[in-house]
Amino acid sequence: MITVQRHFPLKEYNTFGISAFAKAYTATTTLQQLKEALSYFKDECVFLLGGGSNMLLTKDIDKPVIHVLLKGIKVVEKQANSLYLKVMAGENWHQLVMYCVANNLGGMENMALIPGNVGTAPIQNIGAYGVELKDIFHSCEVMHIKTQEVKVLHLADCDFGYRESIFKNDFLGQYVITSVTFKLTDLTLATQYDFKTGYGDIKAELEKLGATTLENVAQAVINIRQSKLPDPAVLGNSGSFFKNPIIARDTYDILVSKFPDMPHYPINNQQVKVPAGWLIDQCGLKGFRKGDAAVHERQALVLVNHGNASGDEVLAMATHVQKTVMERFGIQIETEVNVIS
Ligand code: EPU
């Protein structure tokens, strides 16, 4: 049985805290309910909602919203030091990371405190501090929106890239991800484990905490994130609003001669990734505010809602940031957040 509510308020269901309504809304906590909801709305184009942490609503959603709240965590296989954990789509990502840390399962600790749910994590191949979802992804189960047919997709099927996957491209709007199976390292069995501590401030933060353990690596990430990223429960936001642009090495060479301090990460011989946060910061936009829409004062890559900003006001801020960066550096920065317009 599903319950459908009409003209449903979404303010509590998006981490930007934008006030908007859904034409219809139904919560699904079992696969059976999800099937039922998809077939109930089979003649309409549905909107799938997960943790609501990567979207900017600029208007009401004129579609039925299906909230994917499937729960459950299960060990499905053990193989030498590897443990395969099947996690349902509606589980909260950070709680899962903490569950893995508590159970001595390595692989997710660098991705602590990323907002959102498990089922939406593969869509943009979430990542932080040198680790991406794809590094621990084994497979996912998906349900076809129109036929409700279920199938399994493996790592090679998903075309993961930097904040990219097949779900944003060829499979856009076709499937609901119902569960993800992760391949993790069981540290109670492993004699050796390769902690990823080389990225950014992790090493320095770890030194303050003591030994390099799963708990401490996760805590180091939590401390760093809390020092610069706003907590959506306190200040509306969707994490990085923009992707870090990947530019041609020739362009980079010209820019770096003008801006020798520009941080960069080489991608290959031809391409370099530069931090959009740094570009925006250099434009003097950190903390820039218009009404309740603003650039976060501690991390320029994040846009925030100080209370009652509309989605259009946040979008206008984003456009202003993009234009300013283009004028100063000649670089087009793309949004990472899904803008619903
Ligand atoms: N920087 C500035 N000013 C700023 C922000 C950044 O100068 O306002 C500089 C920093 O000093 C540093 C560089 O830019 O030299 C990179 O900054 P940071 O390490 O904070 O990471 P980021 O590139 O801005 C990315 C991810 C984050 C992730 C961090 C850490 C993207 C779009 N964002 O940010 O992911 O937590 O690296 O791995 O790739 C998210 O996707 O929502 C997110 C928070």
Side-chain angles (χ1 to χ4, degrees):
M1 265 288 279
I2 54 163
T3 309
V4 176
Q5 288 165 271
R6 304 280 159 189
H7 197 62
F8 186 84
L10 294 170
K11 191 172 166 74
E12 305 291 319
Y13 292 84
N14 69 99
T15 59
F16 248 120
I18 302 287
S19 183
F21 287 81
K23 177 184 171 188
Y25 169 94
T26 185
T28 59
T29 56
T30 63
L31 282 169
Q32 187 50 40
Q33 281 185 335
L34 178 62
K35 250 187 194 163
E36 223 179 289
L38 291 173
S39 61
Y40 183 85
F41 292 117
K42 68 178 184 310
D43 299 325
E44 294 179 72
C45 182
V46 297
F47 184 98
L48 299 167
L49 179 64
S53 63
N54 201 42
M55 64 179 194
L56 175 67
L57 296 167
T58 63
K59 58 177 189 147
D60 290 345
I61 298 183
D62 192 28
K63 293 173 184 172
V65 169
I66 299 180
H67 203 171
V68 181
L69 296 170
L70 313 170
K71 298 279 190 226
I73 301 179
K74 190 165 91 182
V75 177
V76 285
E77 204 185 322
K78 289 182 187 184
Q79 240 183 47
N81 299 337
S82 299
L83 184 142
Y84 294 80
L85 198 67
K86 179 175 175 177
V87 187
M88 299 306 286
E91 291 288 347
N92 173 271
W93 179 267
H94 178 64
Q95 280 168 18
L96 173 66
V97 174
M98 291 294 101
Y99 168 95
C100 289
V101 168
N103 286 282
N104 271 307
L105 299 173
M108 292 188 176
E109 57 282 0
N110 290 41
M111 295 188 278
L113 224 55
I114 296 184
N117 288 354
V118 169
T120 38
I123 299 174
Q124 56 153 351
N125 182 27
I126 61 167
Y129 301 101
V131 180
E132 289 181 334
L133 171 120
K134 73 169 169 51
D135 302 329
I136 47 163
F137 180 96
H138 172 265
S139 58
C140 64
E141 246 171 44
V142 295
M143 188 183 282
H144 195 274
I145 288 176
K146 290 294 164 209
T147 64
Q148 286 94 65
E149 188 196 334
V150 172
K151 70 174 179 179
V152 175
L153 299 173
H154 289 91
L155 182 62
D157 302 321
C158 297
D159 290 350
F160 289 124
Y162 168 59
R163 298 295 194 271
E164 275 296 341
S165 76
I166 196 156
F167 303 106
K168 278 181 150 182
N169 297 291
D170 292 2
F171 287 175
L172 183 69
Q174 290 190 43
Y175 292 101
V176 187
I177 297 171
T178 56
S179 71
V180 182
T181 299
F182 298 97
K183 184 183 179 193
L184 302 164
T185 305
D186 185 343
L187 293 197
T188 55
L189 300 174
T191 48
Q192 210 195 327
Y193 178 67
D194 182 19
F195 285 101
K196 306 274 189 306
T197 58
Y199 191 100
D201 307 333
I202 296 217
K203 236 189 195 111
E205 193 59 39
L206 254 179
E207 270 162 25
K208 293 187 217 157
L209 294 167
T212 305
T213 60
L214 273 186
E215 288 83 358
N216 283 348
V217 172
Q219 194 57 50
V221 169
I222 291 171
N223 293 352
I224 298 167
R225 289 186 73 104
Q226 283 179 336
S227 72
K228 48 183 162 185
L229 294 169
D231 176 356
V234 179
L235 185 60
N237 76 91
S238 273
S240 303
F241 197 90
F242 303 100
K243 289 198 228 182
N244 286 332
I246 295 170
I247 59 174
R249 186 163 278 275
D250 298 351
T251 315
Y252 169 75
D253 289 341
I254 297 168
L255 278 172
V256 85
S257 63
K258 279 201 238 162
F259 307 98
D261 297 338
M262 184 163 78
H264 68 286
Y265 319 101
I267 300 280
N268 52 40
N269 286 341
Q270 283 91 42
Q271 292 178 308
V272 179
K273 187 155 82 174
V274 292
W278 184 88
L279 299 171
I280 300 166
D281 199 354
Q282 291 295 305
C283 294
L285 288 171
K286 212 183 216 171
F288 179 67
R289 178 169 174 172
K290 240 185 159 180
D292 274 351
V295 176
H296 185 49
E297 53 197 14
R298 276 176 281 138
Q299 161 55 295
L301 195 54
V302 177
L303 300 187
V304 296
N305 172 10
H306 279 286
N308 291 311
S310 67
D312 278 336
E313 284 168 327
V314 176
L315 189 57
M317 178 59 70
T319 308
H320 175 70
V321 167
Q322 285 171 311
K323 191 167 160 273
T324 312
V325 168
M326 174 52 92
E327 280 165 8
R328 178 101 200 262
F329 294 99
I331 296 176
Q332 178 65 37
I333 53 170
E334 309 287 348
T335 61
E336 195 216 275
V337 166
N338 199 2
V339 178
I340 316 297
S341 56

